[in-house]
Amino acid sequence: MAVRPFFEDHVRAFWALQAAGWSGYLLLRGVSSVSNGWSLQVTVPVVVEAIIGYCITLLLSTLYGYYRRELRRIFGIPLAMVTLLAATMLYAVLDTLNYSLARPEPPGFDMTLLLGPLFLNFTVLLGWSALYFGINFYLIVEQQADQMEALEMQASAAQLAMLRYQLNPHFLFNTLNSISTLVLLKDTQRANAMLSRLSSFLRYTLANEPTAHVTLAQEVETLKLYLEIEKMRFEARLRPSFEIDPRVEKARLPSLLLQPLVENAIKYAVTPKEDGADIRVTARLAGDRVQIDVSDTGPGLQTAPKRPSLSTGVGIANIRDRLAQAYGQDQRFQIRALPSGGFGVEIEIPFQLEEPTREVA
């Protein structure tokens, strides 16, 4: 029986353990009592003893529960000890009376029989009390662990959302600035087209949860939508290309993970060069890993030492943090200068298929 599901319903777990424990006690005492021969005179007192113990422990559970809920620990522990001693004495007196009445003669209460039940009953009730407090302590620890896990998940989700939201203002300001320029130049047709594409892109970002994972195919479609907006600014100077292995199209990754890399390439490769630059996005399957590469034919690292960051101070650091949040150590992020000139970033993540119920808009 699994531990956690058994204790999910505390009331059911208590009654199940109570019944199993006292049934086992009755069986043990019954076998011991009838070992020299079975008779009602021997069996009935054993059954009555188990019933008395069962009822006394029900009373103990009520009192212990009250001590835990209503009293401070400094008062609860001494009261629990006093209650245990009182319950032991009550159990021993009732047990002695039970066995005294079961004797054929002389009838009545025999105080000489009190010492044996006193020791046995104290041992039984002490063990029962230890199990009661031990199980309750375990449940409290498990509850606190669940609360800590929930808080950690909430903190992680909040951090992922913060990292995702860092990207939108930077891109939005650049695009609105371009639209403003087109309006000043009275190029209303291109300004309207850019606004239409910007609205589609923002609709996608708002429709999806900031912590959601999307398929690689969805991420590529988002990149293409973003590049259509940027191509309105740079026209032939921006030359994007995609090479996506069909086997990794359904691989899962954080949404808008690649957009800052493409934006970085536009800022440092396309903008400074009169003839622009090529931007290439490739994705391939390597065993059980997905390798994604974003490269350009810009000036590279030598002439752009500050390249690995966007003007808002996020960019590369943002992607590193999001990968760490999503995959922990099971990921790789590498920046490199290309031999032929240019700049490249390689990301390696586990190959995880998107679950149908986790699909985003």
Side-chain angles (χ1 to χ4, degrees):
M1 185 179 297
V3 176
R4 293 296 298 277
F6 177 72
F7 285 110
E8 281 181 351
D9 187 340
H10 295 179
V11 176
R12 182 193 64 184
F14 171 80
W15 288 108
L17 291 175
Q18 182 80 345
W22 282 106
S23 297
Y25 177 80
L26 175 61
L27 179 63
L28 180 64
R29 292 281 291 151
V31 171
S32 175
S33 299
V34 302
S35 58
N36 296 324
W38 182 88
S39 67
L40 286 176
Q41 184 180 347
V42 175
T43 305
V44 171
V46 173
V47 175
V48 173
E49 176 192 351
I51 294 174
I52 294 172
Y54 182 89
C55 295
I56 288 178
T57 51
L58 290 181
L59 178 62
L60 280 178
S61 68
T62 302
L63 293 174
Y64 287 164
Y66 176 79
Y67 298 156
R68 288 189 300 107
R69 291 190 304 269
E70 306 296 336
L71 301 178
R72 296 177 180 268
R73 182 177 296 180
I74 190 172
F75 298 112
I77 294 177
L79 276 175
M81 296 177 64
V82 172
T83 303
L84 173 62
L85 294 176
T88 301
M89 182 58 67
L90 175 63
Y91 194 3
V93 171
L94 293 177
D95 224 5
T96 301
L97 181 61
N98 171 40
Y99 282 100
S100 297
L101 294 176
R103 294 189 309 171
E105 54 181 66
F109 186 80
D110 188 355
M111 288 295 297
T112 61
L113 300 176
L114 182 63
L115 185 59
L118 190 64
F119 175 76
L120 175 63
N121 298 153
F122 176 75
T123 303
V124 171
L125 294 183
L126 179 63
W128 185 94
S129 300
L131 283 174
Y132 176 88
F133 285 108
I135 292 174
N136 278 279
F137 178 75
Y138 164 79
L139 293 176
I140 292 173
V141 171
E142 287 296 312
Q143 183 180 13
Q144 292 176 345
D146 290 342
Q147 292 174 350
M148 287 296 296
E149 184 178 356
L151 289 174
E152 289 176 357
M153 291 178 64
Q154 291 176 3
S156 178
Q159 185 172 0
L160 280 172
M162 178 196 69
L163 293 170
R164 240 293 299 276
Y165 286 140
Q166 281 180 338
L167 305 176
N168 295 340
H170 180 270
F171 160 72
L172 183 60
F173 294 153
N174 284 347
T175 305
L176 289 177
N177 184 60
S178 299
I179 294 173
S180 175
T181 302
L182 291 174
V183 171
L184 290 174
L185 294 175
K186 300 185 184 301
D187 193 348
T188 56
Q189 185 176 358
R190 294 181 64 198
N192 182 66
M194 186 175 283
L195 274 174
S196 176
R197 292 169 183 175
L198 175 62
S199 66
S200 298
F201 182 81
L202 292 180
R203 189 179 299 113
Y204 172 85
T205 61
L206 294 174
N208 296 326
E209 292 292 332
T211 58
H213 283 197
V214 299
T215 62
L216 185 58
Q218 289 173 309
E219 181 75 357
V220 169
E221 287 303 314
T222 309
L223 278 180
K224 291 179 179 178
L225 183 59
Y226 166 74
L227 286 168
E228 285 180 5
I229 298 172
E230 294 294 349
K231 204 165 181 60
M232 296 288 295
R233 297 169 53 198
F234 296 100
E235 297 181 342
R237 295 174 58 203
L238 174 59
R239 300 180 294 275
S241 63
F242 293 87
E243 185 180 333
I244 309 300
D245 188 338
R247 295 177 297 175
V248 300
E249 287 184 347
K250 292 187 178 181
R252 187 174 60 185
L253 75 164
S255 64
L256 293 182
L257 182 70
L258 305 181
Q259 188 265 346
L261 295 177
V262 175
E263 185 175 0
N264 204 42
I266 292 173
K267 180 178 178 65
Y268 291 100
V270 178
T271 303
K273 297 179 66 175
E274 185 176 350
D275 60 342
D278 298 327
I279 298 177
R280 187 165 178 256
V281 179
T282 64
R284 58 187 176 275
L285 184 65
D288 60 347
R289 315 284 291 177
V290 178
Q291 294 179 349
I292 305 171
D293 187 86
V294 179
S295 60
D296 60 62
T297 57
L301 292 172
Q302 291 75 17
T303 58
K306 294 183 179 180
R307 176 169 183 151
S309 65
L310 298 177
S311 59
T312 53
V314 290
I316 299 298
N318 181 289
I319 296 172
R320 288 187 189 275
D321 290 342
R322 294 184 69 196
L323 286 172
Q325 285 289 326
Y327 303 104
Q329 297 296 322
D330 193 20
Q331 48 85 19
R332 182 171 62 87
F333 184 86
Q334 183 179 358
I335 298 172
R336 68 185 190 282
L338 302 180
S340 57
F343 180 80
V345 175
E346 184 175 330
I347 297 174
E348 184 177 284
I349 58 176
F351 178 69
Q352 298 175 349
L353 291 178
E354 183 76 21
E355 296 291 339
T357 56
R358 293 284 304 277
E359 289 284 352
V360 297

